[in-house]
Amino acid sequence: MNRPDRPGTPHDDPTPALPAVTSFADLDLPAEVLSALAEHGVRDPFPIQAATLPNALAGRDVLGRGRTGSGKTLAFGLPLLARTAGRRATAKQPLALVLVPTRELAQQVTEALTPYADALQLRMATVVGGISIGRQIAALRDGAEVVVATPGRLHDLIERKACRLDRVRITVLDEADQMCDMGFLPQVTEALDQVPGDGQRMLFSATLDRDVDHLVSSYLHDPTVHEVDPSAGAVTTMDHHVLIVHGPDRYAVTTEIAARDGRVLLFLDTKHGVDQLTRHLRAHGVHAAALHSGKSQPQRTKTLAQFKNGQITALVATNVAARGLHIDDLDLVVNVDPPADPKDYLHRAGRTARAGESGRVVTLVLSGQRRDMSTLLTEAGVRSKTTKVRSGEAELSRLTGARAPSGTPLDGPADASRPKNTNAPFRGLGTSKDTTRGTTGGKSRKSSEARKLAEARRAAQVRRGR
């Protein structure tokens, strides 16, 4: 085990951070990287890049706190590439490692860094589940200086002796809190224990709870600390709305929002609910697609690409899309199923109003959920406006851009996808897991939903108090 003996933690007397810069030209970046930045229209560093880059390029450990969407990929990616340039990896032994929680984020990081890696003639490999492990073994055998990986697939490759980490000099943990929330802490520490203890580590996380604090204190040495950007609840360009809907009107309200002129990201709690709503929307003429863990990786990649280029206008997703994804100019996020945890709310909300842009977050609730939703938003530090709405009303259109769908089925008859009980919300209600649940109807469902929402909120309070 290569865990370093590092007495210097963020709580000891820290070494002062280097001052921020105002231009990429002020940094000790290779000329090839500066040319690639200019070629891709990246002119001025974002605040997190201006603050982090001088220290990361100097080899300092870095701790970044805050939500995504502020340019942190280049904040850790450019130093990682610049400090790896000129070295050559041997078979199965990468020189730099980026760990991320999801396949989508891994591919996004790889895409963002590839132009600069190519400029420096560095080879990158993306190591994630859902894709042929044989091809990934071959890429590592051929030699890759930089590996971007999800913890589970990296663990599998290490177990197969297809990857060794003893030559890794720079390690990045991106979205560390989500990796811990998803149960990846053992795989993350396993990887860090195999990385040489005197290498550079950079960790980015929205929160520093118990597990993340363990990673920071155990594996980072005297890091410079930077706020990546404020939480979603503090973003001044983000508006939050709670819309009180009548049960039988939920489908109509959701369908009209999804049919708006412009893209929208709609969150539900289960794969079953996502698939059901997607079928309904497409049957009514809305260009919708589903994104959840039950889809193959090629399907997920294609769906995201179509949503980004506008072929798909309504992306219906579980929490698999709540973290790490960056979609330019997305101005509306809708919680069709209210999240059960303040952290989930903030991460869903963080898909809009990114990098200084404006955005709106809308949550649909039944009257029986109103009190618990108000408590959840208070715990999330969010101020919201509450409005009662019905389908077809001008107020719904004003807040969300809702409009009547074309009604022309994209895949089949419109009636085929609509549940018989239109009072039933789209999931089996009551779970925030990415799983399939059954449905029940009537008042018992409403009370069950409110009760389970309250139980989840209390559980979250207990976790935070530990």
Side-chain angles (χ1 to χ4, degrees):
M1 184 172 84
N2 290 323
R3 179 177 298 181
D5 180 14
R6 290 185 161 197
T9 71
H11 309 292
D12 296 324
D13 295 334
T15 303
L18 295 172
V21 296
T22 58
S23 169
F24 287 112
D26 297 334
L27 295 162
D28 187 23
L29 286 169
E32 298 91 338
V33 171
L34 293 173
S35 296
L37 287 167
E39 181 179 339
H40 286 81
V42 182
R43 295 177 176 82
D44 300 312
F46 287 162
I48 183 59
Q49 297 164 0
T52 303
L53 283 168
N55 298 283
L57 283 166
R60 292 281 302 274
D61 283 7
V62 170
L63 173 60
R65 291 184 289 186
R67 71 185 191 108
T68 59
S70 58
K72 65 183 175 65
T73 301
L74 292 188
F76 66 71
L78 294 183
L80 178 148
L81 296 173
R83 300 191 71 235
T84 306
R87 302 176 63 204
R88 201 70 174 169
T90 56
K92 307 179 184 180
Q93 293 182 293
L95 306 178
L97 173 66
V98 182
L99 281 177
V100 299
T102 67
R103 307 170 191 174
E104 282 75 21
L105 184 54
Q107 293 184 325
Q108 187 170 286
V109 168
T110 301
E111 290 171 5
L113 298 185
T114 292
Y116 312 104
D118 288 347
L120 294 170
Q121 299 183 344
L122 292 172
R123 297 165 294 177
M124 297 187 68
T126 307
V127 170
V128 299
I131 296 177
S132 167
I133 195 170
R135 286 198 293 268
Q136 296 172 2
I137 289 173
L140 290 168
R141 187 173 57 244
D142 292 341
E145 283 74 42
V146 181
V147 168
V148 182
T150 51
R153 177 51 61 91
L154 180 64
H155 169 81
D156 292 343
L157 290 167
I158 292 172
E159 287 286 299
R160 294 177 183 227
K161 301 189 185 305
C163 183
R164 292 171 51 188
L165 304 180
D166 52 318
R167 293 191 66 209
V168 170
R169 303 299 303 168
I170 304 172
T171 307
V172 176
L173 305 183
D174 194 14
E175 304 282 2
D177 54 340
Q178 189 188 10
M179 285 194 281
C180 294
D181 289 345
M182 294 172 69
F184 286 136
L185 182 61
Q187 290 95 330
V188 171
T189 56
E190 173 193 57
L192 289 173
D193 287 341
Q194 295 182 41
V195 169
D198 57 351
Q200 181 183 19
R201 284 86 185 273
M202 292 181 271
L203 183 150
F204 291 82
S205 179
T207 60
L208 292 181
D209 55 17
R210 180 181 177 184
D211 289 335
V212 178
D213 187 62
H214 163 72
L215 292 174
V216 173
S217 61
S218 298
Y219 295 101
L220 268 66
H221 173 64
D222 188 20
T224 61
V225 181
H226 306 277
E227 290 292 336
V228 177
D229 113 315
S231 73
V235 176
T236 58
T237 56
M238 185 186 297
D239 294 327
H240 301 265
H241 294 268
V242 174
L243 302 187
I244 310 298
V245 297
H246 184 49
D249 199 33
R250 282 174 61 96
Y251 253 71
V253 167
T254 303
T255 304
E256 290 179 8
I257 294 174
R260 71 196 292 262
D261 183 15
R263 293 177 302 171
V264 57
L265 175 55
L266 303 113
F267 280 107
L268 290 90
D269 283 348
T270 69
K271 294 181 287 188
H272 174 74
V274 165
D275 288 337
Q276 179 178 299
L277 177 58
T278 302
R279 288 193 298 268
H280 170 80
L281 294 177
R282 293 188 64 83
H284 287 77
V286 178
H287 289 272
L291 183 71
H292 56 64
S293 65
K295 300 291 184 180
S296 70
Q297 190 55 45
Q299 285 177 313
R300 289 161 67 168
T301 300
K302 180 180 178 181
T303 295
L304 278 173
Q306 290 177 327
F307 187 56
K308 289 180 179 181
N309 67 27
Q311 289 178 266
I312 296 298
T313 55
L315 182 62
V316 189
T318 59
N319 280 341
V320 74
R323 295 290 297 268
L325 291 183
H326 177 76
I327 299 164
D328 290 329
D329 304 319
L330 178 64
D331 64 351
L332 182 64
V333 167
V334 178
N335 293 311
V336 180
D337 287 338
D341 184 277
K343 185 186 292 186
D344 287 341
Y345 181 92
L346 293 174
H347 292 316
R348 291 179 179 187
R351 298 315 96 205
T352 188
R354 298 167 70 82
E357 299 295 325
S358 61
R360 181 164 293 186
V361 183
V362 167
T363 303
L364 306 183
V365 300
L366 303 174
S367 57
Q369 297 173 291
R370 184 172 179 174
R371 179 177 297 178
D372 285 321
M373 192 65 210
S374 176
T375 302
L376 183 148
L377 291 174
T378 298
E379 293 175 356
V382 168
R383 290 187 176 184
S384 65
K385 299 177 182 178
T386 301
T387 310
K388 287 187 176 181
V389 298
R390 285 186 177 272
S391 59
E393 289 184 342
E395 185 67 2
L396 178 63
S397 180
R398 184 185 71 82
L399 291 174
T400 66
R403 65 179 184 178
S406 70
T408 304
L410 300 181
D411 304 313
D415 292 339
S417 65
R418 188 178 181 90
K420 294 179 181 179
N421 178 9
T422 57
N423 190 39
F426 307 120
R427 67 192 198 275
L429 277 183
T431 176
S432 61
K433 301 293 184 183
D434 191 8
T435 56
T436 301
R437 293 279 298 267
T439 58
T440 58
K443 293 182 180 179
S444 62
R445 176 182 287 101
K446 294 181 183 179
S447 61
S448 175
E449 177 183 3
R451 182 174 63 256
K452 291 177 180 178
L453 186 62
E455 289 172 355
R457 179 172 53 79
R458 286 194 293 269
Q461 289 175 324
V462 172
R463 289 196 301 270
R464 289 194 297 273
R466 287 176 180 173

